[in-house]
Every structure is written in C-alpha cells, then in structure tokens.
Amino acid sequence: MSLKKLGAALAATTLALTLSACGSGSSTNLQALKIGIKIDQPGLGLKDGDTYSGFDVDVATYIANKLGTTTDKITFIPAPSAQRETLIESGQVDLVVATYSITDARKEKVSFAGPYFIAGQSLLVRADDDSITGIDSLAGKKLCSVTGSTSAQQIKDKVPGVNLQEFSTYSECVAALTASAKTIDALTTDDTILAGFAAQAANLGKVKLVGGTFSTENYGVGLKKGNTDLCTKVTEAIKAMIADGSWQKAVDTNLGPAGFTPRAGNPPTPAACS
Ligand code: GLU
C-alpha cells in the first residue's frame, strides 16, 4: 500500500470511528425512529401484511412525525410484553408504544413519557359462561395472561393461588379461550385489549367482558433510561396530539368500532420527565 493510500485508509478509519463514537452516545436518529409495537392486538397494535393499525400505531406515528421521522421512515418492531424493557435497553428500539403501563419496577430499567392513555384490567370469558362474573368467581377456573405483563402479576397478587397460564401473547390466550378443548376459561388483561378481541369478526358472539375493571393502567411511551431530552420531546408530542384533536380522532377510529369508551381521566395529562 502506498503512503498516500495508507493515509487515506487511516483517515477513513478515523472518520468511521468518530462517526460511530457519535452514534454510540445518547443521540437518537430522529429521522428514522425504530418503534416497538404490538402486532396482534386489534384496535391497539395490529400487523396485517405490511400494514400496521391501531391506537398505539397512531400515537407512535404522530410522535415520530413530530420528532422528525416521516411515516415511511418509521421501522416498527414487534414488542411482546416480556421483551419491552430488553428491546429498549439493548437499543433495538428507540421507543416502545405497546399498551405499556408505567410502573415503578419498569422505571428501574427504562424511562417513560406519558401517560397518553388510562386503561384498566378486566376479564374476558366465553359468551355462554355465566359462572365467572368478576374477580371473586375465579376459584377453580383456568386463567390465561401474558408473561411480563402487569396483568399476570396483578391477578396473582389479587387472587392468591389462581390457576394461571402465562403465554407470550394475548392472541394465544384468545385462541385457547375460544377453542373447543376449553383449556382456558378466562383471559385477563387491559379492558382496551379485551374489547378489541371481543369485536374481532372471528370472536363476535363467542366472548364477553365481565367484572368491570380492577386496576389502573397508565400507558406510557418507553425509552432509554435517563434520556430526558428524548423523553421531553415525546411528552411535548403527546401534549400536541391531545391538544389538536388527533388523540380523540385516534380513539374514535381505533377503539370506537369495538364500542369502547375510555374511562374518566382520559385524555390524561402527561407527567414531566425526570
Ligand atoms: N398494560 C399492561 C402491561 O403493560 C398489560 C398489557 C400488555 O401486556 O401489553 O403489562
């Protein structure tokens, strides 16, 4: 290699190192955000072919657009409940918008902007099953929820000894609930998610929500712990979405068809980032 070429090669290496050093800092590429999303929850986060739809998808898209990512530059990445913290911590996603409740335990690992929605835990049972009317009639029943969710944790806390099976997704629970084998008698998670499944064509008339709600789920946008700059920008975007009517429109479009009315307290006021 000639000296000139060696020099050029060294210069290129230095440039690459400098660029990657910049990239490894707290800087997020606001022009090409990677967003963790649910892909099997109708009305919230659903993937059909290459198309994503749902309230969370609309919230994610609004935020991304405000931050500088055009819709075609958003990369949606499936974020099952149990993987959300890891996806954020490892940098595989910049944001998680996935029916993700803000909790103190999760705040040990990630930061949250929000809340942008308030839901509550409930129960979904077969339409012809009148033996389960709420949280007090679960003795001897086979329950399903999802690993890494607040729903699974809270039902274990509230109903000690409950017969709970934990799957990786809520759609697997719905499949088991509606199957003739009856291996599952009830699915428990947020009322938003349950209403979305109940309104799905394949489940119409087969399932129903019972027991009201027995928790408060404040949905937040998860991001790298301590990235206050990004958190503040996301918070401003959520506030703008509520203020300009886009939040209500997204609720009507995505949750309206399921006949779902958000509980009192919606739209919430996002908290300050700390
Ligand atoms: N909102 C609850 C949670 O974040 C349940 C829904 C979900 O698992 O996505 O754990």
Side-chain angles (χ1 to χ4, degrees):
M1 195 185 278
S2 74
L3 261 185
K4 203 173 161 191
K5 274 194 182 157
L6 183 65
L10 277 175
T13 311
T14 312
L15 181 66
L17 284 174
T18 313
L19 284 176
S20 67
C22 287
S24 67
S26 63
S27 62
T28 308
N29 184 355
L30 296 178
Q31 274 81 52
L33 287 168
K34 294 170 288 187
I35 306 181
I37 209 95
K38 291 294 180 77
I39 57 165
D40 68 329
Q41 296 177 192
L44 293 155
L46 189 70
K47 184 174 189 274
D48 186 7
D50 289 334
T51 309
Y52 295 84
S53 65
F55 179 67
D56 278 345
V57 171
D58 286 356
V59 170
T61 303
Y62 187 99
I63 292 169
N65 292 168
K66 271 274 181 239
L67 266 54
T69 302
T70 53
T71 305
D72 59 311
K73 290 286 189 306
I74 301 171
T75 306
F76 284 122
I77 293 168
S81 296
Q83 290 174 31
R84 292 173 293 198
E85 288 86 39
T86 310
L87 285 167
I88 295 168
E89 287 177 304
S90 64
Q92 286 169 268
V93 300
D94 302 305
L95 305 174
V96 164
V97 189
T99 56
Y100 197 14
S101 299
I102 302 169
T103 69
D104 287 343
R106 289 173 180 163
K107 278 197 206 164
E108 305 268 311
K109 297 179 173 176
V110 301
S111 289
F112 286 98
Y116 64 87
F117 194 86
I118 307 171
Q121 187 168 353
S122 188
L123 292 163
L124 191 75
V125 300
R126 281 181 289 274
D128 60 0
D129 184 352
D130 292 329
S131 65
I132 304 173
T133 51
I135 197 164
D136 296 330
S137 45
L138 294 175
K141 301 295 182 185
K142 291 165 284 188
L143 235 69
C144 190
S145 197
V146 162
T147 318
S149 67
T150 56
S151 323
Q153 190 54 51
Q154 285 158 184
I155 202 71
K156 286 186 270 193
D157 294 345
K158 285 183 202 294
V159 188
V162 67
N163 181 356
L164 178 71
Q165 289 197 43
E166 294 181 49
F167 292 172
S168 355
T169 61
Y170 296 106
S171 52
E172 289 171 81
C173 286
V174 174
L177 178 66
T178 53
S180 50
K182 298 193 177 174
T183 52
I184 290 299
D185 300 314
L187 156 58
T188 185
T189 188
D190 304 342
D191 51 357
T192 42
I193 300 172
L194 299 178
F197 282 121
Q200 239 184 347
N203 303 323
L204 273 182
K206 291 190 184 167
V207 292
K208 62 182 177 188
L209 272 96
V210 294
T213 56
F214 45 90
S215 82
T216 302
E217 307 296 322
N218 290 298
Y219 289 176
V221 177
L223 48 94
K224 197 59 73 67
K225 188 170 163 66
N227 193 343
T228 316
D229 182 43
L230 182 61
C231 181
T232 304
K233 289 189 172 100
V234 172
T235 305
E236 289 311 312
I238 295 169
K239 285 184 181 165
M241 184 176 189
I242 294 168
D244 73 9
S246 305
W247 181 95
Q248 188 61 52
K249 198 169 157 241
V251 165
D252 295 346
T253 310
N254 298 294
L255 305 177
F260 186 84
T261 313
R263 61 159 65 184
N266 280 296
T269 307
C273 295
S274 51

